[in-house]
Amino acid sequence: MNNIENIGKCIAIGLCLLFFLFFKENITFQWIVFAVVLLSIGIPHGAIDHLLPQGSNKKSSLGLFLFKYLGIMALYLISWYFFPKLSLAVFIIISAYHFGQTHFLDFDQIKFKPITYFILGSNFLLIILLSDFQSTYDILISIVDISILEPMSLTLIVILFMTSVGLTLIQRQKGSFKLALEICFLSLLLYFTPLILSFGIYFGFWHALPSMKAEYYALTKQLNSSQLKVFIKQLLPFSSISILGISLILYLSKEFLNEEQVILLFFVLVSLISAPHIFVMNNFIEHQKV
């Protein structure tokens, strides 16, 4: 697992090169990459939340964990029904923090930690959403009209980008300069890549894969086992449930919703499983740094 993160990022860059060279007008290629990444890395990286150490010697039962997990999902679902704009804003904010946090997994102490996580995650998330503005607009229009953001989108991207690089460099740790260079490269790559592909490669190879690597090392240490097969077995049950559940709902919804609304529904479903996952991962990551 030592080199898996670098291998994954090389694969992501290769997929982008393939897109730019041969599949620029091919939406099918984007969806294939998105689906494969989501099914193989994206959803599975949150499928072992119940096994992760949470900074307490007292471990809650699986039943209690699932009750809390499903409770958060249910409350968020209700929120989406009654307050869709607020729920969308909450999803973007907590996702930005969560994405930013993943980039600092190898850092011991982070200056201005919450703001650093949030700004860096916002940088990548808004590049993905605003650089392909029309696609994002078409998906979100049934909830909110974001046309007011279009004239200022490049300004927002540049401000967040420069702030992200600055906050990374002032950490003055081993790896700070390397991360700053990666932010520059990845920001450019995502900016010129369309919405579905850019979200897929970022979510899969710069977020889910590093998270999964950290989970692997924590769990193999806890189990005194380095067997990859054991880890994969642990991923399968809840990965399968999530994939089947989301697939069934999306399949049934096609009778009533247009393509953009189905895509939006997919992200709402992802947000439901992401909300409790983000809290669990925050406890896990910060506990690892103590």
Coordinates of all heavy atoms in Angstrom, one line a residue, residues 20-111:
F20 N -8.2 14.5 -22.9 CA -7.8 15.6 -23.7 C -7.3 15.2 -25.2 O -7.6 16.0 -26.1 CB -6.6 16.4 -23.1 CG -7.1 17.1 -21.8 CD1 -6.4 16.9 -20.6 CD2 -8.2 18.0 -21.8 CE1 -6.8 17.6 -19.5 CE2 -8.6 18.6 -20.7 CZ -7.9 18.4 -19.5
L21 N -6.7 14.0 -25.3 CA -6.2 13.6 -26.6 C -7.2 12.9 -27.5 O -7.2 13.1 -28.7 CB -5.0 12.7 -26.4 CG -3.7 13.3 -25.8 CD1 -2.7 12.3 -25.5 CD2 -3.1 14.4 -26.7
F22 N -8.1 12.1 -26.8 CA -9.0 11.3 -27.7 C -10.5 11.4 -27.4 O -11.3 11.0 -28.2 CB -8.5 9.8 -27.5 CG -7.1 9.5 -27.8 CD1 -6.2 9.2 -26.8 CD2 -6.6 9.6 -29.1 CE1 -4.9 9.0 -27.1 CE2 -5.3 9.4 -29.4 CZ -4.4 9.0 -28.4
F23 N -10.8 11.8 -26.2 CA -12.3 11.7 -25.8 C -12.9 13.0 -25.4 O -13.8 13.1 -24.6 CB -12.4 10.7 -24.7 CG -11.9 9.3 -25.0 CD1 -10.7 8.9 -24.6 CD2 -12.8 8.5 -25.8 CE1 -10.3 7.6 -24.9 CE2 -12.3 7.2 -26.1 CZ -11.1 6.7 -25.6
K24 N -12.4 14.2 -25.9 CA -12.8 15.5 -25.4 C -14.3 15.7 -25.6 O -14.9 16.4 -24.8 CB -12.0 16.6 -26.1 CG -11.8 17.8 -25.3 CD -10.7 18.7 -25.7 CE -10.5 19.8 -24.8 NZ -9.5 20.8 -25.2
E25 N -14.9 15.2 -26.6 CA -16.3 15.4 -26.9 C -17.1 14.2 -26.4 O -18.3 14.1 -26.8 CB -16.6 15.7 -28.4 CG -15.7 16.9 -28.9 CD -16.0 18.2 -28.2 OE1 -17.2 18.4 -27.8 OE2 -15.1 18.9 -27.9
N26 N -16.5 13.3 -25.7 CA -17.2 12.0 -25.4 C -17.6 12.0 -23.9 O -16.8 11.7 -23.1 CB -16.2 10.8 -25.7 CG -16.9 9.5 -25.7 OD1 -17.9 9.3 -25.0 ND2 -16.4 8.5 -26.4
I27 N -18.9 12.2 -23.7 CA -19.4 12.2 -22.3 C -19.4 10.8 -21.7 O -19.3 10.7 -20.5 CB -20.8 12.9 -22.3 CG1 -21.3 13.1 -20.9 CG2 -21.8 12.0 -23.1 CD1 -20.5 14.1 -20.1
T28 N -19.5 9.8 -22.6 CA -19.5 8.4 -22.1 C -18.2 8.1 -21.4 O -18.2 7.4 -20.4 CB -19.8 7.5 -23.3 OG1 -21.0 7.8 -24.0 CG2 -19.8 6.0 -22.8
F29 N -17.1 8.6 -22.0 CA -15.8 8.3 -21.3 C -15.8 8.9 -19.9 O -15.3 8.3 -19.0 CB -14.7 8.9 -22.2 CG -13.3 8.8 -21.5 CD1 -12.6 7.7 -21.6 CD2 -12.8 9.9 -20.9 CE1 -11.3 7.6 -21.1 CE2 -11.5 9.8 -20.3 CZ -10.8 8.7 -20.4
Q30 N -16.3 10.1 -19.8 CA -16.4 10.7 -18.5 C -17.2 9.9 -17.5 O -16.8 9.7 -16.3 CB -17.0 12.2 -18.6 CG -16.1 13.1 -19.4 CD -16.8 14.5 -19.4 OE1 -17.1 15.1 -18.3 NE2 -17.0 15.1 -20.6
W31 N -18.3 9.5 -17.9 CA -19.2 8.7 -17.0 C -18.6 7.4 -16.6 O -18.8 6.9 -15.5 CB -20.6 8.5 -17.6 CG -21.5 9.7 -17.4 CD1 -21.9 10.6 -18.4 CD2 -22.0 10.3 -16.2 NE1 -22.7 11.6 -17.9 CE2 -22.7 11.4 -16.5 CE3 -21.8 9.9 -14.9 CZ2 -23.4 12.2 -15.5 CZ3 -22.5 10.7 -13.9 CH2 -23.2 11.8 -14.2
I32 N -17.9 6.7 -17.6 CA -17.3 5.4 -17.3 C -16.2 5.6 -16.2 O -16.2 4.8 -15.3 CB -16.7 4.8 -18.6 CG1 -17.8 4.4 -19.5 CG2 -15.8 3.7 -18.2 CD1 -17.3 3.9 -20.9
V33 N -15.4 6.6 -16.4 CA -14.3 6.9 -15.4 C -15.0 7.2 -14.1 O -14.5 6.7 -13.0 CB -13.4 8.1 -15.9 CG1 -12.5 8.5 -14.7 CG2 -12.6 7.7 -17.1
F34 N -15.9 8.1 -14.1 CA -16.6 8.5 -12.8 C -17.2 7.2 -12.1 O -17.0 7.1 -10.9 CB -17.7 9.4 -13.2 CG -18.5 9.9 -12.0 CD1 -18.1 11.0 -11.2 CD2 -19.7 9.3 -11.6 CE1 -18.8 11.4 -10.1 CE2 -20.4 9.7 -10.5 CZ -20.0 10.8 -9.8
A35 N -17.9 6.4 -12.9 CA -18.5 5.2 -12.3 C -17.5 4.2 -11.7 O -17.7 3.7 -10.6 CB -19.4 4.5 -13.3
V36 N -16.5 3.9 -12.5 CA -15.5 3.0 -12.1 C -14.8 3.5 -10.8 O -14.6 2.7 -9.8 CB -14.4 2.7 -13.2 CG1 -13.3 1.9 -12.7 CG2 -15.1 2.0 -14.3
V37 N -14.4 4.7 -10.8 CA -13.7 5.3 -9.6 C -14.6 5.3 -8.4 O -14.2 4.9 -7.3 CB -13.2 6.8 -9.9 CG1 -12.8 7.4 -8.6 CG2 -12.1 6.7 -10.9
L38 N -15.9 5.7 -8.6 CA -16.8 5.7 -7.5 C -17.1 4.3 -6.9 O -17.1 4.2 -5.7 CB -18.2 6.3 -7.9 CG -19.1 6.6 -6.8 CD1 -18.8 7.9 -6.1 CD2 -20.6 6.7 -7.3
L39 N -17.2 3.3 -7.8 CA -17.5 2.0 -7.3 C -16.3 1.3 -6.7 O -16.5 0.5 -5.7 CB -18.1 1.1 -8.5 CG -19.4 1.6 -9.0 CD1 -19.7 0.7 -10.3 CD2 -20.5 1.5 -8.0
S40 N -15.1 1.6 -7.2 CA -13.9 0.9 -6.7 C -13.2 1.6 -5.5 O -12.6 0.9 -4.7 CB -12.9 0.7 -7.9 OG -12.5 2.0 -8.3
I41 N -13.4 2.9 -5.4 CA -12.6 3.6 -4.4 C -13.6 4.6 -3.6 O -13.5 4.6 -2.4 CB -11.5 4.5 -5.0 CG1 -10.6 3.7 -5.9 CG2 -10.7 5.1 -3.9 CD1 -9.6 4.6 -6.7
G42 N -14.4 5.3 -4.3 CA -15.2 6.4 -3.7 C -16.1 5.9 -2.6 O -16.0 6.3 -1.4
I43 N -17.0 5.0 -2.9 CA -18.0 4.5 -1.9 C -17.3 3.6 -0.9 O -17.5 3.7 0.3 CB -19.2 3.8 -2.6 CG1 -20.0 4.9 -3.3 CG2 -20.0 3.0 -1.6 CD1 -21.2 4.3 -4.0
P44 N -16.4 2.7 -1.3 CA -15.8 1.8 -0.4 C -14.9 2.5 0.7 O -14.8 2.0 1.8 CB -14.9 0.9 -1.3 CG -15.6 0.9 -2.6 CD -16.2 2.2 -2.7
H45 N -14.4 3.7 0.4 CA -13.5 4.3 1.4 C -14.3 4.7 2.7 O -13.8 5.0 3.7 CB -12.8 5.5 0.8 CG -13.4 6.9 1.0 ND1 -14.5 7.3 0.2 CD2 -13.2 7.9 1.9 CE1 -14.8 8.5 0.6 NE2 -14.1 8.9 1.7
G46 N -15.7 4.8 2.6 CA -16.5 5.1 3.7 C -17.2 3.9 4.3 O -18.1 4.1 5.2
A47 N -16.8 2.7 3.8 CA -17.6 1.5 4.2 C -17.1 0.8 5.5 O -17.6 -0.2 5.9 CB -17.6 0.5 3.0
I48 N -16.0 1.4 6.0 CA -15.5 0.8 7.3 C -15.4 1.8 8.4 O -14.6 1.6 9.3 CB -14.1 0.2 7.0 CG1 -13.2 1.2 6.3 CG2 -14.1 -1.1 6.2 CD1 -11.7 0.8 6.2
D49 N -16.3 2.8 8.3 CA -16.3 3.8 9.4 C -16.5 3.2 10.8 O -16.0 3.6 11.8 CB -17.5 4.8 9.1 CG -17.1 5.7 8.0 OD1 -16.0 5.7 7.5 OD2 -18.0 6.5 7.6
H50 N -17.3 2.1 10.8 CA -17.6 1.4 12.1 C -16.4 0.7 12.7 O -16.5 0.4 13.9 CB -18.8 0.4 11.9 CG -18.4 -0.7 11.0 ND1 -18.2 -0.5 9.6 CD2 -18.3 -2.0 11.2 CE1 -17.9 -1.6 9.0 NE2 -18.0 -2.6 9.9
L51 N -15.4 0.5 12.0 CA -14.2 -0.1 12.5 C -13.1 0.8 12.9 O -12.1 0.4 13.5 CB -13.6 -1.1 11.4 CG -14.6 -2.3 11.0 CD1 -14.0 -3.0 9.8 CD2 -14.9 -3.2 12.2
L52 N -13.2 2.1 12.5 CA -12.1 3.0 12.7 C -12.0 3.5 14.2 O -13.0 3.7 14.8 CB -12.3 4.3 11.9 CG -12.3 4.0 10.4 CD1 -12.5 5.4 9.6 CD2 -10.9 3.5 9.9
P53 N -10.8 3.6 14.7 CA -10.6 4.1 16.1 C -11.0 5.5 16.2 O -10.8 6.3 15.3 CB -9.1 3.9 16.3 CG -8.5 3.8 15.0 CD -9.5 3.2 14.1
Q54 N -11.7 5.9 17.3 CA -12.3 7.2 17.4 C -11.8 8.0 18.6 O -12.4 8.9 19.1 CB -13.8 7.1 17.5 CG -14.5 6.5 16.3 CD -14.4 7.5 15.1 OE1 -14.8 8.6 15.2 NE2 -13.9 7.0 14.0
G55 N -10.6 7.6 19.1 CA -10.0 8.4 20.2 C -10.5 8.0 21.5 O -10.4 8.8 22.5
S56 N -11.2 6.9 21.7 CA -11.7 6.5 23.0 C -11.4 5.0 23.1 O -11.6 4.2 22.2 CB -13.2 6.7 23.1 OG -13.7 6.2 24.2
N57 N -11.1 4.6 24.4 CA -10.8 3.2 24.6 C -12.1 2.4 24.6 O -12.2 1.2 24.4 CB -10.1 3.0 26.0 CG -8.7 3.6 25.9 OD1 -8.1 3.5 24.9 ND2 -8.3 4.1 27.1
K58 N -13.2 3.1 24.9 CA -14.5 2.4 25.0 C -15.1 2.4 23.6 O -15.4 3.4 22.9 CB -15.5 3.2 25.9 CG -16.8 2.5 26.1 CD -17.7 3.3 27.0 CE -19.0 2.6 27.2 NZ -19.9 3.3 28.1
K59 N -15.3 1.2 23.1 CA -15.8 1.0 21.7 C -17.3 0.8 21.7 O -17.7 -0.2 22.4 CB -15.0 -0.1 21.0 CG -15.2 -0.1 19.5 CD -14.3 -1.1 18.9 CE -14.4 -1.1 17.4 NZ -13.5 -2.1 16.8
S60 N -18.1 1.5 21.0 CA -19.5 1.3 21.0 C -19.9 0.1 20.1 O -19.1 -0.3 19.2 CB -20.2 2.6 20.5 OG -19.8 2.8 19.1
S61 N -21.0 -0.5 20.4 CA -21.4 -1.6 19.7 C -21.8 -1.2 18.2 O -22.1 -0.1 18.0 CB -22.7 -2.3 20.3 OG -23.8 -1.4 20.2
L62 N -21.8 -2.2 17.3 CA -22.2 -2.0 15.9 C -23.6 -1.4 15.9 O -23.9 -0.5 15.1 CB -22.0 -3.2 15.1 CG -22.5 -3.1 13.6 CD1 -21.6 -2.1 12.9 CD2 -22.3 -4.5 12.9
G63 N -24.5 -2.0 16.7 CA -25.9 -1.5 16.7 C -26.0 0.0 17.1 O -26.7 0.7 16.4
L64 N -25.3 0.4 18.1 CA -25.3 1.8 18.5 C -24.7 2.7 17.5 O -25.2 3.8 17.2 CB -24.6 1.9 19.9 CG -24.6 3.4 20.5 CD1 -26.0 3.9 20.7 CD2 -23.8 3.4 21.8
F65 N -23.6 2.2 16.9 CA -22.9 3.0 15.8 C -23.9 3.2 14.7 O -24.0 4.3 14.2 CB -21.7 2.3 15.4 CG -21.0 3.0 14.3 CD1 -20.0 4.0 14.6 CD2 -21.2 2.8 12.9 CE1 -19.3 4.6 13.6 CE2 -20.6 3.4 11.9 CZ -19.6 4.4 12.2
L66 N -24.5 2.1 14.2 CA -25.5 2.2 13.1 C -26.7 3.1 13.4 O -27.2 3.9 12.6 CB -25.9 0.9 12.7 CG -24.9 0.0 12.0 CD1 -25.4 -1.4 11.7 CD2 -24.4 0.6 10.7
F67 N -27.1 3.1 14.7 CA -28.3 3.9 15.1 C -27.9 5.4 14.9 O -28.7 6.2 14.4 CB -28.7 3.6 16.5 CG -29.8 4.4 17.1 CD1 -31.1 4.2 16.7 CD2 -29.5 5.5 17.9 CE1 -32.1 5.0 17.2 CE2 -30.5 6.3 18.4 CZ -31.8 6.0 18.0
K68 N -26.7 5.7 15.4 CA -26.3 7.1 15.3 C -26.0 7.5 13.8 O -26.4 8.6 13.4 CB -25.0 7.3 16.1 CG -25.1 7.2 17.6 CD -23.7 7.3 18.3 CE -23.8 7.2 19.8 NZ -22.5 7.3 20.4
Y69 N -25.4 6.6 13.1 CA -25.1 6.9 11.7 C -26.3 7.1 10.9 O -26.5 8.1 10.1 CB -24.3 5.7 11.2 CG -23.3 6.0 10.1 CD1 -22.0 6.3 10.4 CD2 -23.7 5.9 8.7 CE1 -21.0 6.5 9.4 CE2 -22.7 6.1 7.7 CZ -21.4 6.4 8.0 OH -20.5 6.7 7.0
L70 N -27.3 6.2 11.0 CA -28.5 6.2 10.3 C -29.4 7.4 10.7 O -30.1 8.0 10.0 CB -29.3 4.9 10.4 CG -28.6 3.7 9.7 CD1 -29.4 2.4 10.0 CD2 -28.5 3.9 8.2
G71 N -29.3 7.7 12.0 CA -30.0 8.9 12.6 C -29.6 10.2 11.9 O -30.4 11.0 11.6
I72 N -28.2 10.4 11.7 CA -27.7 11.6 11.1 C -28.2 11.6 9.6 O -28.6 12.6 9.1 CB -26.2 11.6 11.1 CG1 -25.7 11.8 12.6 CG2 -25.6 12.7 10.3 CD1 -24.2 11.6 12.7
M73 N -28.2 10.4 9.0 CA -28.7 10.4 7.6 C -30.1 10.7 7.5 O -30.6 11.5 6.6 CB -28.4 9.0 7.0 CG -27.0 8.6 6.8 SD -26.8 6.9 6.3 CE -27.6 6.9 4.7
A74 N -30.9 10.2 8.4 CA -32.4 10.5 8.4 C -32.7 12.0 8.6 O -33.5 12.6 7.9 CB -33.1 9.7 9.5
L75 N -32.0 12.6 9.6 CA -32.1 14.0 9.9 C -31.7 14.9 8.7 O -32.4 15.9 8.3 CB -31.3 14.5 11.1 CG -31.8 14.0 12.4 CD1 -30.8 14.3 13.5 CD2 -33.2 14.6 12.8
Y76 N -30.7 14.5 8.0 CA -30.2 15.2 6.8 C -31.2 15.1 5.7 O -31.4 16.0 4.9 CB -28.8 14.8 6.5 CG -28.0 15.7 5.6 CD1 -28.3 17.1 5.6 CD2 -27.0 15.3 4.7 CE1 -27.6 18.0 4.8 CE2 -26.3 16.2 3.9 CZ -26.6 17.5 4.0 OH -25.9 18.4 3.2
L77 N -31.7 13.9 5.5 CA -32.8 13.7 4.5 C -34.0 14.6 4.7 O -34.5 15.2 3.8 CB -33.2 12.2 4.5 CG -34.3 11.8 3.5 CD1 -33.9 12.1 2.1 CD2 -34.7 10.4 3.7
I78 N -34.4 14.7 5.9 CA -35.5 15.6 6.3 C -35.1 17.0 5.9 O -35.9 17.8 5.4 CB -35.9 15.4 7.8 CG1 -36.5 14.0 8.0 CG2 -36.9 16.5 8.2 CD1 -36.6 13.7 9.5
S79 N -33.9 17.4 6.2 CA -33.4 18.7 6.0 C -33.4 19.0 4.5 O -33.8 20.1 4.0 CB -32.0 18.9 6.5 OG -31.4 20.1 6.1
W80 N -33.0 18.0 3.7 CA -33.0 18.2 2.2 C -34.5 18.4 1.7 O -34.7 19.2 0.8 CB -32.4 16.9 1.5 CG -31.0 17.0 1.3 CD1 -30.0 16.2 1.9 CD2 -30.3 17.8 0.3 NE1 -28.8 16.6 1.4 CE2 -28.9 17.5 0.4 CE3 -30.7 18.7 -0.6 CZ2 -27.9 18.1 -0.3 CZ3 -29.7 19.4 -1.4 CH2 -28.4 19.1 -1.3
Y81 N -35.4 17.7 2.3 CA -36.8 17.8 1.9 C -37.4 19.2 2.2 O -38.0 19.8 1.3 CB -37.7 16.8 2.5 CG -39.1 16.7 2.0 CD1 -39.4 16.1 0.8 CD2 -40.1 17.3 2.8 CE1 -40.7 16.1 0.4 CE2 -41.4 17.3 2.3 CZ -41.7 16.7 1.1 OH -43.0 16.7 0.6
F82 N -37.1 19.7 3.4 CA -37.7 21.0 3.8 C -36.9 22.2 3.5 O -37.4 23.3 3.3 CB -38.1 20.9 5.3 CG -39.2 20.0 5.6 CD1 -39.0 18.8 6.2 CD2 -40.5 20.4 5.3 CE1 -40.0 17.9 6.5 CE2 -41.6 19.5 5.6 CZ -41.3 18.3 6.2
F83 N -35.5 22.0 3.5 CA -34.6 23.1 3.4 C -33.5 22.8 2.4 O -32.3 22.7 2.8 CB -34.0 23.5 4.7 CG -35.0 23.7 5.8 CD1 -35.1 22.7 6.8 CD2 -35.8 24.8 5.9 CE1 -36.0 22.8 7.9 CE2 -36.7 24.9 7.0 CZ -36.8 23.9 7.9
P84 N -33.9 22.6 1.1 CA -32.9 22.1 0.1 C -31.7 23.1 -0.1 O -30.5 22.6 -0.2 CB -33.7 22.0 -1.2 CG -34.9 22.8 -1.0 CD -35.2 22.8 0.5
K85 N -31.9 24.4 -0.1 CA -30.8 25.4 -0.3 C -29.9 25.3 0.9 O -28.6 25.3 0.7 CB -31.4 26.8 -0.4 CG -32.1 27.0 -1.8 CD -32.7 28.4 -1.9 CE -33.5 28.6 -3.1 NZ -34.0 30.0 -3.3
L86 N -30.4 25.3 2.1 CA -29.6 25.2 3.3 C -28.8 23.9 3.3 O -27.6 23.9 3.6 CB -30.4 25.3 4.6 CG -29.7 25.1 5.9 CD1 -28.7 26.2 6.1 CD2 -30.7 25.1 7.0
S87 N -29.4 22.8 3.0 CA -28.8 21.5 2.9 C -27.7 21.4 1.9 O -26.6 20.8 2.2 CB -29.8 20.4 2.6 OG -30.8 20.4 3.6
L88 N -27.9 22.1 0.8 CA -26.8 22.1 -0.2 C -25.6 22.9 0.3 O -24.5 22.5 0.1 CB -27.4 22.8 -1.5 CG -26.4 23.0 -2.6 CD1 -25.8 21.7 -3.1 CD2 -27.0 23.8 -3.8
A89 N -25.9 24.1 0.9 CA -24.8 24.9 1.5 C -24.1 24.1 2.5 O -22.8 24.1 2.6 CB -25.4 26.2 2.1
V90 N -24.8 23.4 3.4 CA -24.1 22.6 4.5 C -23.2 21.5 3.8 O -22.1 21.3 4.3 CB -25.2 22.0 5.4 CG1 -24.5 20.9 6.3 CG2 -25.8 23.0 6.2
F91 N -23.8 20.9 2.8 CA -23.0 19.8 2.1 C -21.7 20.3 1.5 O -20.6 19.7 1.7 CB -23.9 19.2 1.0 CG -23.2 18.0 0.3 CD1 -22.5 17.0 1.0 CD2 -23.3 17.9 -1.1 CE1 -21.9 16.0 0.4 CE2 -22.7 16.9 -1.7 CZ -22.0 15.9 -1.0
I92 N -21.8 21.5 0.9 CA -20.6 22.1 0.3 C -19.6 22.5 1.4 O -18.4 22.2 1.2 CB -21.0 23.3 -0.6 CG1 -21.7 22.9 -1.8 CG2 -19.7 24.1 -1.0 CD1 -22.3 24.0 -2.7
I93 N -20.1 23.1 2.5 CA -19.2 23.5 3.5 C -18.4 22.4 4.2 O -17.2 22.4 4.4 CB -19.9 24.4 4.6 CG1 -20.4 25.7 3.9 CG2 -19.1 24.6 5.8 CD1 -21.4 26.5 4.8
I94 N -19.2 21.3 4.6 CA -18.6 20.2 5.3 C -17.7 19.4 4.4 O -16.7 18.8 4.8 CB -19.6 19.3 6.1 CG1 -20.6 18.7 5.1 CG2 -20.3 20.1 7.1 CD1 -21.5 17.7 5.8
S95 N -18.1 19.3 3.1 CA -17.3 18.6 2.1 C -16.0 19.3 1.9 O -14.9 18.7 1.8 CB -18.0 18.4 0.8 OG -19.2 17.6 0.9
A96 N -16.0 20.6 1.8 CA -14.8 21.4 1.6 C -13.8 21.2 2.8 O -12.6 20.9 2.6 CB -15.1 22.9 1.5
Y97 N -14.3 21.2 4.0 CA -13.5 21.0 5.2 C -12.9 19.6 5.1 O -11.7 19.4 5.3 CB -14.3 21.1 6.4 CG -13.6 20.8 7.7 CD1 -12.9 21.9 8.4 CD2 -13.5 19.6 8.2 CE1 -12.2 21.6 9.6 CE2 -12.8 19.3 9.4 CZ -12.1 20.3 10.1 OH -11.5 20.0 11.2
H98 N -13.7 18.6 4.8 CA -13.3 17.2 4.7 C -12.3 16.9 3.7 O -11.3 16.3 3.9 CB -14.6 16.3 4.5 CG -14.4 14.9 4.5 ND1 -13.7 14.2 5.5 CD2 -14.7 13.9 3.6 CE1 -13.6 12.9 5.2 NE2 -14.3 12.7 4.1
F99 N -12.5 17.5 2.5 CA -11.5 17.4 1.4 C -10.2 18.0 1.8 O -9.1 17.4 1.5 CB -12.1 18.0 0.1 CG -13.2 17.2 -0.6 CD1 -14.0 17.9 -1.5 CD2 -13.5 15.9 -0.2 CE1 -15.0 17.2 -2.1 CE2 -14.5 15.2 -0.8 CZ -15.3 15.9 -1.8
G100 N -10.2 19.2 2.3 CA -9.0 19.9 2.7 C -8.2 19.1 3.8 O -7.0 19.0 3.7
Q101 N -9.0 18.5 4.7 CA -8.3 17.7 5.8 C -7.5 16.6 5.2 O -6.4 16.3 5.8 CB -9.4 17.2 6.7 CG -8.9 16.5 8.0 CD -10.1 16.1 8.8 OE1 -11.1 15.6 8.3 NE2 -10.0 16.3 10.1
T102 N -8.0 16.0 4.2 CA -7.3 14.8 3.6 C -5.9 15.1 3.1 O -5.0 14.3 3.1 CB -8.2 14.2 2.5 OG1 -9.5 14.0 3.0 CG2 -7.6 12.8 2.1
H103 N -5.7 16.4 2.6 CA -4.4 16.7 2.1 C -3.3 16.9 3.1 O -2.2 17.0 2.8 CB -4.6 18.1 1.3 CG -5.3 17.9 0.0 ND1 -4.7 17.5 -1.2 CD2 -6.6 18.1 -0.3 CE1 -5.6 17.4 -2.1 NE2 -6.8 17.8 -1.6
F104 N -3.8 16.9 4.4 CA -2.8 17.1 5.5 C -2.6 15.9 6.4 O -2.3 16.0 7.5 CB -3.2 18.3 6.3 CG -3.1 19.6 5.6 CD1 -4.1 20.2 5.0 CD2 -1.8 20.3 5.6 CE1 -4.0 21.4 4.3 CE2 -1.7 21.5 5.0 CZ -2.8 22.1 4.3
L105 N -2.9 14.7 5.8 CA -2.9 13.5 6.6 C -1.5 13.2 7.1 O -1.3 12.7 8.2 CB -3.3 12.3 5.8 CG -4.8 12.2 5.4 CD1 -5.1 11.1 4.5 CD2 -5.6 12.1 6.7
D106 N -0.4 13.7 6.4 CA 0.9 13.4 6.8 C 1.6 14.5 7.6 O 2.8 14.5 7.9 CB 1.8 13.1 5.6 CG 1.4 11.8 4.9 OD1 0.9 10.9 5.5 OD2 1.5 11.8 3.6
F107 N 0.8 15.5 7.9 CA 1.3 16.7 8.7 C 1.0 16.5 10.2 O -0.1 16.1 10.5 CB 0.7 18.0 8.2 CG 1.2 18.5 6.9 CD1 1.1 17.7 5.8 CD2 1.8 19.7 6.8 CE1 1.6 18.2 4.5 CE2 2.3 20.2 5.6 CZ 2.2 19.4 4.5
D108 N 1.9 16.8 11.1 CA 1.7 16.6 12.5 C 0.9 17.7 13.1 O -0.1 17.5 13.7 CB 3.1 16.5 13.2 CG 3.8 15.2 12.8 OD1 3.2 14.2 12.5 OD2 5.1 15.3 12.7
Q109 N 1.4 18.9 13.0 CA 0.7 20.1 13.5 C 0.3 21.0 12.3 O 1.2 21.3 11.5 CB 1.5 20.8 14.5 CG 1.9 19.9 15.7 CD 0.7 19.6 16.6 OE1 -0.2 20.4 16.7 NE2 0.7 18.4 17.2
I110 N -0.9 21.5 12.3 CA -1.3 22.4 11.3 C -1.7 23.8 11.9 O -2.5 23.8 12.8 CB -2.5 21.8 10.5 CG1 -2.1 20.6 9.8 CG2 -3.0 22.8 9.4 CD1 -2.6 19.3 10.4
K111 N -1.1 24.8 11.4 CA -1.4 26.2 11.9 C -2.8 26.6 11.3 O -3.0 26.3 10.1 CB -0.4 27.2 11.4 CG 1.0 26.9 12.1 CD 2.0 27.8 11.5 CE 3.4 27.5 12.0 NZ 4.5 28.3 11.3

